[in-house]
Amino acid sequence: MLFPSEKPLLFTGANSTIQLASLAQASGSKRPLLVTEKFLLQLGLLDEVLEYFKNEGCEVTIFDGIIPNPTYEVIEEGIRACQKNDCDSVFAVGGGSTIDAAKVIAACYSNEVGVEQVVGLLKVKKPTLPFYTVPTTSGTGSEVTNSAVISETTTHQKKFVVDPKLIPSAAALDANMLKSLPPHITAATGMDALTHAIESYSSVNRFSDAERDAKLAIKLLLEYLPVVYEDENNPEARQLVALASFLAGYSFNKSGLGYVHAISHQISAHYNTPHGLTNAVILPKILRFNKTVCADRFANLERMLSGTSAGSDEQLADRFIARVDALGQQLNIPSGFKELEAKHFDAITSKALLEAKSFYAVPRLMNRAQCKEILASISEGVKAESPITQQLASITI
């Protein structure tokens, strides 16, 4: 651990967005920069919070230029909006891309630097502007993490900004802000959260609080994500999936991620595939790759979920992986990406292995041949239970 991981102050439940806005206003926020997405404004989901700020005499600057996988150019535009209106805080309402962009805007503005100067580890010298966030998807966990992922404008290569100063002051998990999610986005973002929790629990960096949160997140997601997928108007299930995403975010923020994310980031950079969906496609393949060293960990999860200890660690691990397979099928997660081309395997492999080596405490090291095998299975759309994917677990280093 380079620095302690903290949780932001958390508000939960319907209308908790207004509670968060009230805290921001009471803390001195008079000219907030509201970072969001155009469609949320169009749906009217921000009308109430905008009215609240207006009634409290606050001058809100709206920046709604967020795009998926936000680029340096997008961040710089947000910084200019902040400068033009002399904003004193940042209030982000949106998905992971929105929250990540808002973090970097808040950091660059207060430090009076451009995006390039904060990319990397511990490059944010001064505290960010006071930062408050309301996630509208349940997956990234960005509302609790000390990192942001942004893309170079021309190459779209993923870059990381990592610093404890990026953790928001406070966050709201508001079911009213989550009800606009269509089923396919609910599925992808929920699988992103599940990946966070499983990779954190599998990490060789182990902390009791992170393990506790990861296990609870896994349990909540396996139970309630299918409910929300089938019934988008179930507020109780929405709230529990949002809480699971928050817990998974805290867990991986402390323990780290793994090869699912290392590979996913590179595929998204090449093909602009949605991050959560890309994770969901890769996850079962990495579970099988890791099983030789993580059978006891996966078995512990299966014991928690099933309430039984019957069977060997290997048998229980297989049952846990089968649960993840079944969830993916229930959520209509594809088995691969046909657009993934062999000509990009070398570049994806090099960058994925470097990312994992540089940032993650993975339980099992992967070599180039193994990574390419996994990419081939993704490209061919091989199902998780097919022979080629099962063979990944038996490849030796």
Side-chain angles (χ1 to χ4, degrees), residues 46-88:
L46 300 181
D47 289 353
E48 189 175 355
V49 71
L50 287 170
E51 184 68 18
Y52 173 84
F53 277 127
K54 179 181 178 181
N55 291 339
E56 294 298 322
C58 299
E59 298 179 13
V60 179
T61 298
I62 297 175
F63 175 61
D64 61 0
I66 302 300
I67 60 173
N69 302 314
T71 62
Y72 288 16
E73 184 178 24
V74 169
I75 306 299
E76 298 286 1
E77 185 181 348
I79 296 168
R80 287 193 293 272
C82 207
Q83 292 169 335
K84 181 179 179 180
N85 297 281
D86 192 25
C87 296
D88 58 12

Side-chain angles (χ1 to χ4, degrees), residues 343-354:
K343 67 182 182 181
H344 293 139
F345 284 9
D346 279 329
I348 290 172
T349 295
S350 295
K351 291 173 181 175
L353 297 184
L354 178 60

Side-chain angles (χ1 to χ4, degrees), residues 17 39-50 93 136 176-181:
T17 301
F39 83 94
L40 294 176
L41 290 168
Q42 294 166 353
L43 289 174
L45 289 178
L46 300 181
D47 289 353
E48 189 175 355
V49 71
L50 287 170
V93 183
T136 58
N176 288 339
M177 289 293 183
L178 299 164
K179 62 186 179 183
S180 64
L181 284 181

Side-chain angles (χ1 to χ4, degrees), residues 196-344:
H196 292 156
I198 294 175
E199 290 206 298
S200 167
Y201 189 72
S202 305
S203 170
V204 297
N205 283 338
R206 293 180 183 173
F207 305 92
S208 59
D209 57 341
E211 288 193 18
R212 177 199 63 215
D213 284 2
K215 290 175 69 175
L216 179 55
I218 291 166
K219 182 176 178 63
L220 291 175
L221 288 164
L222 285 169
E223 183 171 353
Y224 291 102
L225 182 55
V227 176
V228 175
Y229 181 74
E230 297 293 339
D231 179 10
E232 59 190 77
N233 296 312
N234 187 319
E236 292 81 10
R238 281 271 184 215
Q239 200 69 54
L240 288 170
V241 170
L243 179 60
S245 175
F246 180 87
L247 294 171
Y250 174 77
S251 182
F252 92 74
N253 192 55
K254 193 162 188 177
S255 299
L257 295 168
Y259 283 116
V260 177
H261 276 78
I263 296 171
S264 173
H265 286 149
Q266 317 317 319
I267 293 177
S268 293
H270 274 82
Y271 303 102
N272 204 33
T273 54
H275 173 69
L277 180 63
T278 311
N279 280 351
V281 170
I282 300 170
L283 177 60
K285 306 173 194 309
I286 300 300
L287 290 180
R288 286 173 168 80
F289 174 81
N290 282 336
K291 197 188 81 167
T292 56
V293 295
C294 290
D296 60 331
R297 304 292 284 174
F298 297 163
N300 286 339
L301 293 173
E302 179 59 26
R303 291 185 185 100
M304 172 191 69
L305 295 165
S306 65
T308 179
S309 297
S312 66
D313 279 358
E314 184 170 352
Q315 290 170 328
L316 292 169
D318 285 337
R319 290 177 205 165
F320 173 72
I321 295 172
R323 285 182 187 270
V324 177
D325 290 341
L327 178 62
Q329 292 166 8
Q330 188 172 357
L331 302 179
N332 289 312
I333 300 297
S335 54
F337 292 118
K338 296 294 186 182
E339 58 263 53
L340 180 57
E341 298 181 73
K343 67 182 182 181
H344 293 139

